[in-house]
Amino acid sequence: MAIVDTPRIAGWNESHERELTAMQVDELYRYMPFATGGAFLSAGLTLAVLNDTGAGMAGMFWFVMFSLVTLYRVGIISAHSRDGGSDPAMWARLAIAGNVASGVMWGILGTLLFPATASYRELFIVMVICANVGGSISTYAAVKWAHPAVTLPAVVPPIFYLTFMRDGMHIYSALTAFVFMILVTGIALQQHRRITQRLRLILENRELMRRVSAANSSLMKQNSDLEQQAVAQTRVAKSAKDRADLLTLHFANTPLAIIECDDQLNLVAWNDAAQRLMGHRIDTLRGKPLLPAICVDGESGADGDVAATIKKALDNSPLSVRGHFVTLDRRAKKGSFHITPIRAGKDQPVRLAIVISDWRDSGTGNNGDVRQVA
């Protein structure tokens, strides 16, 4: 089945590539101790076979060289563990160098130390090379060229030696050996892609989780800000309600007569003082024009025309006028009218608040005394 690379997350950059490389190198060094120990054990068994088949001195020299390669591998494994992988590319190159040296040693075993006469050492050497090359695929596949670094120097020299140099042409053996080499190398590269895909998914998942965490933190901050704004708005709304309640109480309980009209001068609301002044029949005027009910026909009053002033205030600033008016039971009065236009909002119609003060009976001979509202 073909391997399809996973799509990279948005914003994938060189930093992510370096982190991916570091994860690949860490994967390689995690399993290198097992491969190194297994290769050294195979080298010890090989020394025993060489010694048993009459190649003890050459075998000892080969084993010493292989031991030096093993010491090199142990050294870089230990150093990588202490360093923490600060330069992944460098540690990958050091591991590949050790694998090349190990492959060369296996290649020497399959050429210079291959027996000139038939013996079980031939089978053992082929078997130990194939076992170490094939068995280390999973160990070295994390870094792309780490396994070919072992395979090529370990397999190619013996193929040429056994095919062309030892005792004539063996084409079928050569073809079989090349198929084995290509198969092992292909499996290693395919395994490398799978490991890379897995590590990339882990890295992308970390990045996505980081972004989700950052988004959650941002949302939590925004929620906190919104909560604070809601608390502030609630506080403002409560303050406005408290003030409205206070003004409503003031409107209802003040001894001044207060009347509210819409923009057509129809009666909308009044307080108790206005009801006492105008008469209890004021209820019948709700929604009806106010001026015809309270203005004296044909009389403007000595101090100004009340009706005209009230109408003028609709398109003007607050005005005051003193003039005559009548109550609903047709009692003539005279008082001061303080007219204030009110607009609740930009698109709201104008309303008028009319405050009547200093009212007196008109023509009753009460010497101008201010009549108190009961």
Side-chain angles (χ1 to χ4, degrees):
M1 183 177 63
I3 301 174
V4 180
D5 287 339
T6 55
R8 296 179 180 178
I9 56 176
W12 184 277
N13 52 38
E14 293 183 0
S15 175
H16 295 112
E17 286 291 348
R18 286 194 297 271
E19 190 169 356
L20 177 61
T21 302
M23 293 172 69
Q24 291 173 321
V25 172
D26 288 342
E27 183 98 350
L28 171 67
Y29 276 86
R30 185 177 300 117
Y31 297 108
M32 269 187 66
F34 301 100
T36 301
F40 185 72
L41 177 61
S42 297
L45 294 174
T46 301
L47 174 63
V49 171
L50 292 174
N51 186 64
D52 191 46
T53 55
M57 292 299 296
M60 180 59 67
F61 180 77
W62 177 88
F63 181 75
V64 170
M65 297 299 295
F66 199 98
S67 298
L68 293 176
V69 173
T70 302
L71 288 175
Y72 168 82
R73 283 175 152 183
V74 171
I76 64 172
I77 292 171
S78 177
H80 176 269
S81 176
R82 292 194 304 270
D83 178 77
S86 59
D87 187 353
M90 179 194 72
W91 292 111
R93 289 192 293 269
L94 291 175
I96 290 174
N99 285 5
V100 170
S102 177
V104 169
M105 297 309 299
W106 292 123
I108 292 173
L109 181 65
T111 53
L112 300 180
L113 296 180
F114 206 80
T117 58
S119 69
Y120 82 97
R121 193 169 92 193
E122 294 177 318
L123 178 61
F124 180 84
I125 289 176
V126 172
M127 182 179 67
V128 76
I129 292 175
C130 291
N132 279 276
V133 168
S136 60
I137 291 177
S138 298
T139 302
Y140 300 128
V143 174
K144 188 172 185 179
W145 299 112
H147 189 266
V150 175
T151 302
L152 297 179
V155 175
V156 172
I159 290 175
F160 279 95
Y161 174 75
L162 297 177
T163 302
F164 301 110
M165 299 174 63
R166 187 168 185 271
D167 56 358
M169 179 75 67
H170 300 283
I171 188 65
Y172 297 116
S173 299
L175 289 176
T176 302
F178 272 111
V179 168
F180 169 76
M181 181 182 67
I182 293 171
L183 181 63
V184 169
T185 303
I187 292 174
L189 293 177
Q190 188 181 53
Q191 184 70 12
H192 165 73
R193 294 187 65 187
R194 289 185 180 276
I195 293 174
T196 300
Q197 184 184 48
R198 172 174 59 83
L199 295 178
R200 181 179 294 158
L201 286 174
I202 293 173
L203 184 58
E204 291 178 353
N205 181 65
R206 289 178 185 173
E207 178 67 15
L208 290 174
M209 291 301 296
R210 185 192 66 78
R211 295 185 182 184
V212 169
S213 177
N216 286 339
S217 298
S218 177
L219 287 175
M220 289 178 63
K221 184 179 184 305
Q222 291 177 13
N223 288 339
S224 177
D225 293 342
L226 289 175
E227 184 178 358
Q228 293 178 4
Q229 292 176 13
V231 170
Q233 291 175 357
T234 301
R235 189 181 298 114
V236 170
K238 184 178 183 304
S239 175
K241 181 180 180 302
D242 292 343
R243 179 168 175 78
D245 291 343
L246 182 62
L247 291 175
T248 300
L249 289 174
H250 179 71
F251 173 85
N253 299 324
T254 181
L256 296 174
I258 303 177
I259 298 172
E260 184 181 345
C261 298
D262 62 17
D263 58 345
Q264 300 299 319
L265 298 181
N266 296 320
L267 184 63
V268 176
W270 58 89
N271 64 355
D272 291 344
Q275 182 168 297
R276 288 192 294 268
L277 173 62
M278 292 297 180
H280 289 277
R281 287 178 55 247
I282 196 171
D283 237 5
T284 62
L285 285 182
R286 184 190 296 271
K288 296 179 180 180
L290 175 68
L291 294 182
I294 69 170
C295 288
V296 181
D297 294 339
E299 183 178 357
S300 297
D303 299 323
D305 189 344
V306 174
T309 303
I310 291 175
K311 292 177 181 178
K312 183 179 180 181
L314 279 169
D315 300 316
N316 211 324
S317 56
L319 297 172
S320 296
V321 62
R322 186 168 180 79
H324 298 281
F325 66 99
V326 294
T327 63
L328 297 183
D329 56 4
R330 311 311 294 175
R331 290 178 296 151
K333 302 288 183 180
K334 185 175 183 180
S336 296
F337 286 75
H338 309 281
I339 307 112
T340 304
I342 303 171
R343 188 183 295 275
K346 182 179 180 181
D347 299 325
Q348 298 297 319
V350 175
R351 290 196 174 189
L352 289 182
I354 303 172
V355 179
I356 306 173
S357 65
D358 301 330
W359 56 269
R360 308 165 186 267
D361 291 329
S362 179
T364 59
N366 59 0
N367 299 321
D369 292 337
V370 176
R371 181 169 180 173
Q372 299 299 322
V373 179

